[in-house]
Amino acid sequence: MADRSPEQTRQYAEIKLDEFFKSVPPELKAHVVTLPKRITQISARPVIRLKEVLNTADQIFDHAGKFAACTRGCGHCCHVSVPITQFEARYIGENLGIQPVEQKQTIRHALTEFGSHTPCPFLKNAECSIYECRPLTCRMHMNFDVDNYWCLHENWNKPEAKIPRPTIQPLVDAYHLVVNNVAPIMADIRDFFPHGQGAA
Ligand code: SF4
Ligand code: SF4
């Protein structure tokens, strides 16, 4: 694979991101934009409100697939740090019938701290084994380049590496509105689930 310049990536991604945003139906855009306000008005348990955020993320990112470089079984992104909140860890744990390790304080990791030999514990046979309850960050992580060049392990530590990803700010805002009053402590998914779905 030929070396890629960040400028080539930026130019290509700009076009693809624009095509993605144009492909989203106006009513879905409005649904996303109003999500932070609506989420504060839903009088339901935080887990129901989190599900609303995750479902909305799926609805909008359903439109992204045909514009992104991501393919089934690619999964280099499952080797970088995956920060999630304690609340989301509990949500995943409930869905899987396992207890996450409760953290007393936020643990910060550099994006590339874990590396190619320390994948997310839920990556199995190059695929996500918890797809239905995977974290919001995984649902939003898409590469809008022409291919996965900047996601490859040999490239992700280069200073110029920059994966062009869409930021759907209302989703992020709504997520924090849900979790901030419940369990906002953050850590990597590996801190919460060091053994994946296996026994502790
Ligand atoms: S974000 Fe990168 S590594 Fe992850 S699926 Fe997409 S192209 Fe592959
Ligand atoms: S939860 Fe799934 S999608 Fe997210 S990093 Fe782990 S294996 Fe990858």
Side-chain angles (χ1 to χ4, degrees), residues 12 67 123 136 168 187:
Y12 180 87
F67 304 108
L123 187 68
L136 177 66
I168 314 285

Side-chain angles (χ1 to χ4, degrees), residues 77-78 82 120 122-123 127-130 134-135 138 189:
C77 47
C78 302
V82 183
C120 168
F122 297 116
L123 187 68
E127 295 203 349
C128 179
S129 62
I130 61 164
R134 72 199 187 287
C138 303
I189 198 165

